[in-house]
Amino acid sequence: MALTQKQEKFCRLVVELNNNSEAYRGAYNASKMKPESIHRKAKELMDNVKVAARIDELRAEHAKRHRVTVDDLLGELEEARQIALGAETPQTSAAVGASMGKAKLLGLDKQLIELSGTITTRTTLDDFYGPDA
């Protein structure tokens, strides 16, 4: 037997919010329920074997999707750069794009602006007390 739409929504919200009671509130009409009742109902859902299995499945998908690291992305960009440069007709713009992508990942694409000059300030008693003091 498949999960109901509300159970599926509950499962997705548990993974997204990491809060069973909030997930219950998001999936079911709990506006008139006491917090203790919501907690109890969320616990009942978590104890449901099919719901628990679906949450485990969604968490595994979530972890796999977020397992990409900066090193992975840098490797992919370097591979693309090498392919662009090693092509029969080198694709220099693609290679530059890959290099710039690497620079952005590493935070090396920041534009630095050096400012120079003189700052002068003038403070009078009128600034603090007004002209009538």
Side-chain angles (χ1 to χ4, degrees), residues 56-74:
D56 288 343
E57 185 179 286
L58 290 170
R59 283 184 174 149
E61 289 174 15
H62 184 79
K64 183 178 179 183
R65 195 171 46 246
H66 289 85
R67 202 172 292 144
V68 176
T69 66
V70 171
D71 287 337
D72 295 334
L73 296 173
L74 288 171

Side-chain angles (χ1 to χ4, degrees), residues 68-128:
V68 176
T69 66
V70 171
D71 287 337
D72 295 334
L73 296 173
L74 288 171
E76 289 175 14
L77 286 167
E78 180 57 26
E79 182 180 344
R81 192 178 82 79
Q82 292 299 327
I83 290 169
L85 290 174
E88 189 172 310
T89 305
Q91 304 294 319
T92 54
S93 62
V96 168
S99 294
M100 290 305 298
K102 289 170 63 176
K104 285 179 183 180
L105 278 174
L106 295 171
L108 301 174
D109 66 325
K110 308 293 185 247
Q111 186 176 11
L112 299 177
I113 300 172
E114 185 176 324
L115 301 175
S116 62
T118 306
I119 298 175
T120 49
T121 60
R122 185 170 161 240
T123 306
T124 65
L125 291 176
D126 288 344
D127 293 334
F128 292 105

